[in-house]
Amino acid sequence: MSLKSWLLLLLAYTSYLLVGGFMFQHLECGEEIKRNEKSNLETILLNGNIDAITMQLEPEFQIILNKTLRQYFKYPESFPAKPESHCVKWSYYNSFFFSFTIVSTIGYGHQFPATNNGRWACIVFALIGIPLNGILIGSIGSVFHSWFKTLAETWGGKEEEGDTEENNLYVAIVLKGFAFLMFFTSVFLFLPAKLLQQMESRKN
């Protein structure tokens, strides 16, 4: 496969993920907002119950209860945690990431569709996206094979017809091994590790 063909395939793959992000956000965001509204009502009731219980206690027990709630739950500032009034779990960013976990078959399990339409859409999305993901990954090997073969011929010289010398073979093996080692080590180990370190350190 030529580099141009691979780039077109990558563009189609990326576009498919972008469409998936919009689709899952549209299907799941409304349900998340409904759950948030219900949780908001439960929060109001819980706060009211705590206040009612506190008023019935003796002053010394009120002090103990309030001290305990402030110390362990940061009450009343952040207890219970106030739900967001907009989509957080099914924001576009998270929906796009969910689309990628489907087609790559990673499946972290921390996020999943809660609606029937979202579940059916997930199945159909996976049936198309997983083979597309496999084709893309398989084509990467074809592209790199062509590059390494060109490098081997350039550095080691093209073999003449009937040539039995092993120089070209050794050069090709060394080049392929070194290039694969450097590329995959950098792309799949060092760079992701550094990126995750930066992202998680900011969050913490």
Side-chain angles (χ1 to χ4, degrees), residues 190-202:
F190 295 142
L191 292 180
K194 187 63 178 178
L195 180 62
L196 289 173
Q197 181 188 29
Q198 293 295 328
M199 294 175 64
E200 295 300 320
S201 61
R202 292 176 183 175

Side-chain angles (χ1 to χ4, degrees), residues 45-203:
L45 292 175
L46 183 56
N47 282 330
N49 291 336
I50 292 176
D51 292 338
I53 293 173
T54 303
M55 294 297 295
Q56 296 179 14
L57 296 175
E58 297 294 332
E60 58 270 21
F61 292 111
Q62 291 183 11
I63 295 174
I64 295 174
L65 177 60
N66 289 331
K67 183 179 179 180
T68 303
L69 291 174
R70 282 195 301 269
Q71 181 177 356
Y72 294 100
F73 304 103
K74 297 181 180 180
Y75 178 85
E77 292 83 5
S78 59
F79 176 78
K82 295 181 180 179
E84 298 287 345
S85 59
H86 60 280
C87 288
V88 175
K89 182 178 181 181
W90 288 103
S91 65
Y92 180 73
Y93 173 81
N94 288 334
S95 299
F96 176 82
F97 181 74
F98 176 72
S99 299
F100 176 73
T101 62
I102 293 175
V103 300
S104 60
T105 67
I106 295 175
Y108 287 112
H110 69 292
Q111 186 167 348
F112 50 87
T115 64
N116 289 331
N117 290 337
R119 292 166 182 166
W120 280 109
C122 182
I123 293 173
V124 175
F125 190 81
L127 289 175
I128 301 174
I130 292 175
L132 181 62
N133 183 74
I135 293 172
L136 179 68
I137 294 176
S139 64
I140 294 177
S142 176
V143 172
F144 277 99
H145 176 74
S146 300
W147 287 359
F148 297 148
K149 184 177 180 180
T150 302
L151 286 175
E153 292 176 349
T154 301
W155 289 12
K158 295 183 179 180
E159 293 183 357
E160 300 294 336
E161 186 175 353
D163 187 8
T164 58
E165 294 183 1
E166 298 181 351
N167 292 336
N168 287 350
L169 179 61
Y170 292 147
V171 170
I173 292 175
V174 171
L175 283 176
K176 288 183 179 182
F178 180 75
F180 268 114
L181 179 64
M182 294 302 296
F183 176 78
F184 285 102
T185 301
S186 300
V187 173
F188 295 106
L189 289 179
F190 295 142
L191 292 180
K194 187 63 178 178
L195 180 62
L196 289 173
Q197 181 188 29
Q198 293 295 328
M199 294 175 64
E200 295 300 320
S201 61
R202 292 176 183 175
K203 182 181 295 186

